[in-house]
Amino acid sequence: MKRVAVLGSTGSIGRQALEVIAANPGRLSVRSLLCSRSLDALEAQRREFPGSLACALSAERAPSWCMAGEGALEAALDGCDIVLNAITGFAGLRASLEAARLGLPVALANKESLVTAGCLLRDHVAAGLVIPVDSEHSTIARCLCGAPPREIVLTASGGALRDWPADRIEGAGPEDVGAHPTWDMGPRITVDSSTLVNKAFEVIEARWLFPGAPVSAVLHPQSVVHSLVRLGDGSWRALLGRPDMRIPIQHALLGDDPAPGFAAGDEPCDWPALTFAPLDLSRWPAFGLVTRAGEEGGTMPAAANAADEVAVDAFLRGRLRFGDIARVIGGVLESTARRDVYCYGDVLEGDAAAREAAGRVVSGLC
Ligand code: MG
């Protein structure tokens, strides 16, 4: 029986992880539930999984049934066998680093961990203790089965605006990107899917997870092929199926052990025609900016992430137009001096400086 610490339990991935755990009684159990401050949802989850420890990272006043604030993360990790890190945003990094310090396997759904601090998690990755949950990276890991990749190609749906004429994208508002065409996700990642910042983050993550192979992305609007990997002999491997995050979550928690199926009724004859096309980078300028920041390394990807978090927040509040998100990222990266990263504090500093710079760029655009 694996005891799982479900971090970010009230978000989209966290809730689906709890479904997976409930579907595998006797093999998986909930050791702890950790959220930011959604206490009502947390209490309902605690009742559904009796015996689990409930923790809230940012709650101001903690009810008696819940650990809160200082020490909540450490309490959540105590006594678990595997950590599912589905915390949203930069806040998830500390959890990954703490899990790595404790030598715990991390089923990683928090992109920012590898994006902003891949160099600090490199040893944990090399030890096979970072197991990707994201559908793209899960696919690559499953297709490789330990073989070295020659080339990795991530598939991108293109987000909600992919069929819009280029001149209209600039002025799109939150209501236009609100619904992702193929995946059901939280608000920030839905916007990041439309700017392709999400895909740029996945390129950076793939470089850390599968070092040595070139990584690129192609447009695949149907989201049936969850990424492709080319082997040494030139052949391609891929996993196919209608998007369902419970499948990669279950794989991350249980590996290749036989497990209950989730994709009932998913039949190839019902799939739309599968298409692949190169990304038109003029439509998605943020993709190029963020992947370049990833290549520069050091504090640059943390700066790109911070700029994007600030810009997306301003966009969702109606303060910025869609086209401004890439402008904020570009403006912040231009004014950022790259520093090497040796510890968590270096990443925190890079993040804080970029947030300040992003605030200034946003004010200038409003
Ligand atoms: Mg993904």
Side-chain angles (χ1 to χ4, degrees):
M1 172 83 95
K2 269 191 197 173
R3 293 160 301 178
V4 188
V6 184
L7 313 184
S9 64
T10 56
S12 168
I13 298 289
R15 293 194 310 270
Q16 293 180 77
L18 293 177
E19 273 184 59
V20 168
I21 294 170
N24 287 280
R27 307 169 82 205
L28 295 172
S29 68
V30 178
R31 163 66 194 150
S32 55
L33 300 155
L34 179 136
C35 71
S36 174
R37 57 169 73 82
S38 310
L39 290 175
D40 290 344
L42 185 66
E43 185 172 21
Q45 291 181 341
R46 189 183 67 102
R47 286 180 201 282
E48 206 184 325
F49 296 91
S52 59
L53 177 71
C55 306
L57 270 184
S58 318
E60 270 132 42
R61 273 181 301 118
S64 59
W65 50 265
C66 167
M67 273 287 296
E70 193 92 349
L73 173 64
E74 289 73 9
L77 298 185
D78 186 41
C80 76
D81 300 304
I82 185 166
V83 179
L84 178 100
N85 186 355
I87 296 175
T88 304
F90 183 68
L93 171 59
R94 191 167 81 83
S96 291
L97 293 175
E98 184 60 16
R101 195 182 66 77
L102 296 168
L104 291 166
V106 182
L108 187 63
N110 172 266
K111 290 187 198 287
E112 290 75 5
S113 295
L114 283 175
V115 168
T116 67
C119 57
L120 302 180
L121 290 164
R122 186 192 278 141
D123 293 347
H124 213 51
V125 171
L129 292 174
V130 176
I131 308 137
V133 168
D134 211 346
S135 65
E136 290 80 359
H137 308 93
S138 173
T139 290
I140 297 161
R142 291 180 75 175
C143 288
L144 282 173
C145 303
R150 176 162 128 189
E151 181 183 350
I152 289 168
V153 177
L154 305 179
T155 48
S157 74
L161 307 178
R162 68 180 176 221
D163 298 323
W164 281 40
D167 56 337
R168 274 189 65 210
I169 295 178
E170 173 73 21
E175 64 289 352
D176 301 314
V177 299
H180 191 275
T182 43
W183 294 95
D184 172 23
M185 306 177 297
R188 181 190 174 207
I189 193 169
T190 300
V191 178
D192 283 349
S193 293
S194 296
T195 56
L196 288 200
V197 165
N198 180 60
K199 202 53 55 182
F201 285 168
E202 289 176 356
V203 168
I204 299 172
E205 287 182 281
R207 290 186 180 137
W208 286 112
L209 287 166
F210 311 101
V215 182
S216 59
V218 296
L219 193 63
H220 169 56
Q222 300 84 23
S223 299
V224 169
V225 174
H226 306 306
S227 285
L228 300 130
V229 61
R230 190 168 214 179
L231 303 178
D233 66 2
S235 62
W236 293 93
R237 283 187 190 163
L239 276 187
L240 288 79
R242 290 265 188 205
D244 187 330
M245 279 311 292
R246 292 172 300 180
I247 294 172
I249 292 169
Q250 179 166 267
H251 187 264
L253 296 177
L254 287 172
D256 283 320
D257 286 355
F262 288 108
D266 182 15
E267 298 299 333
C269 292
D270 300 332
W271 292 341
L274 304 182
T275 60
F276 303 89
L279 292 180
D280 171 4
L281 292 189
S282 64
R283 282 179 76 92
W284 290 290
F287 177 82
L289 292 167
V290 176
T291 46
R292 245 191 326 277
E295 282 157 23
E296 287 172 54
T299 47
M300 297 310 278
N305 173 67
D308 181 64
E309 279 197 28
V310 171
V312 168
D313 183 66
F315 169 73
L316 288 171
R317 289 168 197 272
R319 295 183 65 209
L320 291 184
R321 296 183 309 158
F322 186 77
D324 291 331
I325 297 174
R327 253 173 233 119
V328 174
I329 297 170
V332 169
L333 290 174
E334 226 166 79
S335 67
T336 296
R338 182 196 177 286
R339 296 243 167 82
D340 284 333
V341 167
Y342 299 103
C343 64
Y344 179 46
D346 295 336
V347 188
L348 279 182
E349 262 175 42
D351 172 81
R355 269 170 214 276
E356 244 186 80
R360 285 194 298 271
V361 182
V362 169
S363 302
L365 288 168
C366 289

